[in-house]
Every structure is written in structure tokens, then in C-alpha cells.
């Protein structure tokens, strides 16, 4: 008599409610922690944005609110009466207009019925809270734009940043391509020497380069801020080399078999597949040039018509130090373009950073 053996089946074990709860709690904790960090980084930007919408009177108000707000007043017989939160004997709080202010006894009017008899209130009116309404002002932006001549500054900064970015990309691509694809005796040593320049402080080379540029007649021009970037930077070469090494060499060999030269391989094989890394390098340099303050201050030699935003904004801060609203408005306009560029290209930027950080 034969015995039929049934196959053993294993059912997938379902997660218990407690396990699911722990999983959700862990994911929620990580998300909350990330949001707190993001909030900490965005707080200065939020404060700057809110302050830019406040008038000087709102900022100087000792009871100023966080949001741009102004005390509410009521027009009565040609006078502006302040509206206050007044506690009543029955425990309620009413919003009343202060008609006559006394030390211990004051008179108020009901804003809904100004013709009614004044309401007598016993107490010190100075301890009452004023009623505020949201009242943003946008005058700080045109005032700052006209005072600092933002149109000219944007043009100067954009020319310096874009020209340097083009030079950085051209030189870094060529150098990184050589390190990633060509077999040159001692290439690793040369690469280490290039990387060693990262630890060289810029202050060490400032005086020699300044003297050199003065001797060739470039003092007071944009050339010292643009031309040096046409000679590859170690940071950018490292990022592009790492990315180029991740591209399979089989593609190079296939193109070479078809008769492509090294230059054609670079243009038609390497660069089309390296947009994330190129975007990261371009954004790094563009943001650096946009925010650079020290070199333009040194080389432009008080030529205000050539100043970028960074230098002019510092002078603007010194002149209008008592106008926080205008200062914050000018700062927001200065960072507006880099912020927009970052959000438009952040996907390519993050992909380039992640991939170039892995040596393949």
C-alpha cells in the first residue's frame, strides 16, 4: 500500500499589529527628526522673509507681532482710537476703542456702535493688549531696488558667475577626462599633487596673484575674477573624474572602433552621459561666484560700477543699518536667483553628488 506524501507548504507570516506599530513609529520618528532639522535651517530664511514685509514702525513697536501686523484703530470724530481687548465683569473679553484714558478709570466705545454711551471701565488701561491685524508692506522691495541699483548689480554678478562657470566646466572636463581615461606614466602621482592643492589656503596665494594681475594691467577689472577659473579646480576635477570612471569603457572602445577620436568620444560619449555631474559642478561654481565677497573687494578697487551683489550689499547694510526691513528685502532679492536655479536643477544636482561620491 503506497502512501502519498503531501508537499509541505509554508505560509507567509503576517506582521503582527505590534510590529506594524513599531515600524510606523520608527518611520514617523525619522520623518519628524528630518522635519525638525529642515525647520532649523529654514528659520533664518523665514525670519528674513517676515521682516522684509514689515515697516520700520512695525519693527520698532514694543508689542510687535512675529508676522507683519499693525494695531487696529477706530476713526471717531477725526481721531484714531486704539482698539483694545478689554476684560468685562462677566468674564468675557470685548474689543473696545479707548476714548478717554485715565489712571484707574477709562472710557471706551463699542466700535460696532460709536454713537452709544461710553462704557466706563475701572482698571489700568496700559496693561490691556492691543488688537493687531496682519498688515504686510511691500514698499521695502522697490526702495531697496532703487537705492542699491539692483539691475546693475545683477548684470555684473551674472556676467562674472556665468563666465567663470563656463571656464570651470571647459577646463575641468578636459582635465578630468585625461585623468579618467588616459594611461600616462605617473598619472596617479600627478593626481595626488593636484588634490594636495586643496589644502593650500587662498590667503597664501593672494598677494602673489594680486601683484601679478596688477603688473599685467588687470587691476580694477573683472579678469582676475574670471580667467583663473579657466584653469581647472581640484574639487571639480575630482568630482568629474569619479563620474567619468563610472561610465563603462566599452562605450569608448566601441566609438574608437568606429573611428572616433578621443575628442569625439568626449563630446559624443562622455559628456551626454555626465549631465548630473556637470550640473553639480556648474551649480557649485555659480553659487560660489555669486556669493564671493573678498576677491571682488580686493581686485575691483572701489570701482562701484563693477561691483557684484555681495560687495554692494555689504555697503548697503552699513548705510541702512537702522532699516532692517530694507536690509532683509535686499537680501531676499540677492538670493532669489540662486534659490530658483537650485530648485529647478536639484534633481540633477543631487544625482551628480551621490554618484560622484562613489569610486568605481
Amino acid at each position: 500500500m503506497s502512501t502519498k506524501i503531501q508537499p509541505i507548504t509554508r505560509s507567509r507570516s503576517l506582521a503582527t499589529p505590534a510590529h506594524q506599530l513599531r515600524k510606523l513609529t520608527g518611520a514617523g520618528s525619522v520623518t519628524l527628526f528630518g522635519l525638525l532639522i529642515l525647520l532649523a535651517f529654514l528659520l533664518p530664511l523665514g525670519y528674513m522673509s517676515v521682516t522684509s514685509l514689515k515697516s520700520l514702525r512695525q519693527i520698532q513697536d514694543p508689542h510687535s507681532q512675529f508676522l507683519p501686523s499693525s494695531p487696529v484703530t477706530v476713526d471717531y470724530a477725526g481721531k484714531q482710537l486704539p482698539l483694545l481687548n478689554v476684560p468685562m465683569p462677566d468674564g468675557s473679553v470685548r474689543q473696545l476703542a479707548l476714548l478717554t484714558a485715565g489712571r484707574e478709570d477709562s472710557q471706551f466705545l463699542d466700535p460696532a456702535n460709536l454713537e452709544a454711551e461710553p462704557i466706563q471701565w475701572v482698571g489700568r488701561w496700559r496693561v490691556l493688549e492691543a488688537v493687531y491685524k496682519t498688515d504686510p508692506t511691500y514698499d521695502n522691495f522697490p526702495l531697496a531696488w532703487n537705492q542699491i541699483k539692483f539691475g546693475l548689480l545683477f548684470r555684473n554678478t551674472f556676467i562674472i558667475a556665468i563666465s567663470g562657470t563656463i571656464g570651470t566646466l571647459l577646463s575641468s572636463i578636459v582635465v578630468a577626462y585625461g585623468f579618467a581615461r588616459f594611461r600616462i606614466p605617473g598619472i596617479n602621482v600627478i593626481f595626488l599633487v593636484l588634490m594636495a592643492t586643496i589644502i593650500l589656503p587662498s590667503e597664501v596665494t593672494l598677494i602673489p596673484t594680486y601683484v601679478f594681475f596688477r603688473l599685467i594691467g588687470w587691476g580694477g577689472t573683472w579678469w582676475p575674477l574670471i580667467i583663473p577659473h579657466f584653469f581647472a579646480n581640484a574639487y571639480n576635477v575630482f568630482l568629474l573624474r569619479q563620474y567619468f570612471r563610472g561610465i563603462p569603457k566599452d562605450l569608448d572602445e566601441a566609438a574608437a572602433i568606429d573611428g572616433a577620436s578621443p575628442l569625439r568620444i568626449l563630446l559624443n560619449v562622455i559628456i551626454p552621459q555626465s549631465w548630473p555631474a556637470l550640473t553639480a559642478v556648474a551649480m557649485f561654481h555659480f553659487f560660489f561666484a555669486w556669493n564671493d565677497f573678498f576677491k571682488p573687494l580686493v581686485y575691483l578697487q572701489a570701482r562701484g560700477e563693477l561691483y557684484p551683489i555681495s560687495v554692494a550689499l555689504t555697503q548697503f547694510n552699513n548705510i541702512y543699518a537702522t532699516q532692517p526691513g530694507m536690509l532683509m528685502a535686499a537680501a531676499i532679492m540677492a538670493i532669489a536667483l540662486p534659490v530658483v536655479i537650485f530648485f529647478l536643477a536639484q534633481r540633477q544636482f543631487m544625482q551628480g553628488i551621490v554618484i560622484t561620491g562613489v569610486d568605481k
Side-chain angles (χ1 to χ4, degrees):
M1 182 176 178
S2 61
T3 303
K4 187 176 182 181
I5 302 176
Q6 297 293 335
I8 300 175
T9 59
R10 298 181 178 179
S11 60
R12 179 180 295 180
S13 60
L14 299 177
T16 63
H19 177 73
Q20 292 180 348
L21 180 60
R22 288 195 299 269
K23 186 176 180 180
L24 291 176
T25 302
S29 301
V30 173
T31 303
L32 179 61
F33 181 72
L35 290 176
L36 291 176
I37 294 178
L38 178 63
L39 181 62
F41 277 97
L42 292 180
L43 276 177
L45 181 60
Y47 172 79
M48 182 170 61
S49 301
V50 170
T51 306
S52 67
L53 299 177
K54 290 184 177 182
S55 64
L56 183 60
R57 183 176 180 179
Q58 292 173 344
I59 295 174
Q60 294 176 342
D61 185 355
H63 304 289
S64 176
Q65 310 293 306
F66 175 73
L67 295 176
S69 305
S70 299
V72 179
T73 59
V74 177
D75 187 9
Y76 177 76
K79 297 181 180 180
Q80 296 298 321
L81 306 181
L83 194 64
L84 306 177
N85 290 314
V86 182
M88 306 306 293
D90 59 357
S92 62
V93 177
R94 297 180 60 183
Q95 293 182 355
L96 302 177
L98 179 61
L99 176 61
T100 304
R103 183 177 180 85
E104 298 290 345
D105 190 1
S106 303
Q107 290 183 340
F108 290 87
L109 293 177
D110 185 356
N113 187 10
L114 296 176
E115 301 300 329
E117 290 293 328
I119 301 173
Q120 203 75 16
W121 183 80
V122 179
R124 298 187 177 184
W125 68 271
R126 294 185 181 275
V127 301
L128 301 179
E129 294 183 357
V131 178
Y132 281 81
K133 65 176 180 179
T134 303
D135 184 24
T137 177
Y138 302 95
D139 295 338
N140 293 323
F141 291 92
L143 287 175
W145 181 280
N146 295 328
Q147 292 293 333
I148 201 175
K149 298 181 180 179
F150 255 101
L152 177 63
L153 297 177
F154 268 117
R155 187 206 69 175
N156 296 346
T157 311
F158 193 77
I159 292 175
I160 296 173
I162 288 297
S163 301
T165 300
I166 294 173
T168 294
L169 286 175
L170 292 177
S171 58
S172 299
I173 287 173
V174 173
V175 176
Y177 179 57
F179 280 119
R181 285 296 193 261
F182 291 92
R183 296 180 180 179
I184 303 173
I187 190 171
N188 291 331
V189 177
I190 298 174
F191 183 72
L192 289 176
V193 172
L194 176 63
M195 291 297 102
T197 60
I198 295 177
I199 65 175
L200 184 65
S202 58
E203 291 79 4
V204 175
T205 59
L206 176 63
I207 295 178
T209 53
Y210 175 79
V211 172
F212 172 75
F213 288 136
R214 287 285 297 175
L215 289 176
I216 62 177
W218 285 4
T221 67
W222 287 338
W223 297 121
L225 307 177
I226 298 175
I227 297 302
H229 299 299
F230 281 79
F231 300 88
N233 178 276
Y235 294 98
N236 301 329
V237 170
F238 175 77
L239 289 175
L240 294 180
R241 171 184 175 269
Q242 297 297 98
Y243 199 97
F244 292 168
R245 292 182 63 179
I247 300 175
K249 291 186 178 181
D250 297 342
L251 300 177
D252 300 27
E253 295 172 357
I257 292 175
D258 292 337
S261 64
L263 180 59
R264 176 59 65 86
I265 293 174
L266 173 63
L267 297 178
N268 294 351
V269 177
I270 301 297
I271 292 181
Q273 301 185 68
S274 304
W275 286 117
L278 297 179
T279 301
V281 169
M283 292 180 66
F284 272 133
H285 181 80
F286 184 86
F287 295 154
F288 165 79
W290 192 272
N291 297 322
D292 190 16
F293 167 77
F294 186 66
K295 288 184 179 179
L297 182 66
V298 171
Y299 289 115
L300 294 182
Q301 301 172 353
R303 294 193 60 183
E305 70 278 7
L306 298 179
Y307 276 168
I309 288 179
S310 56
V311 178
L313 193 60
T314 302
Q315 294 183 342
F316 182 76
N317 291 345
N318 295 332
I319 297 174
Y320 295 94
T322 59
Q323 301 281 344
M326 290 181 59
L327 297 183
M328 297 300 104
I332 288 179
M333 290 188 290
I335 67 174
L337 182 60
V339 169
V340 171
I341 292 176
F342 176 78
F343 278 105
L344 292 178
Q346 62 174 326
R347 185 174 181 180
Q348 293 282 339
F349 176 78
M350 296 307 299
Q351 184 179 356
I353 293 299
V354 171
I355 296 179
T356 52
V358 180
D359 191 2
K360 299 182 179 181

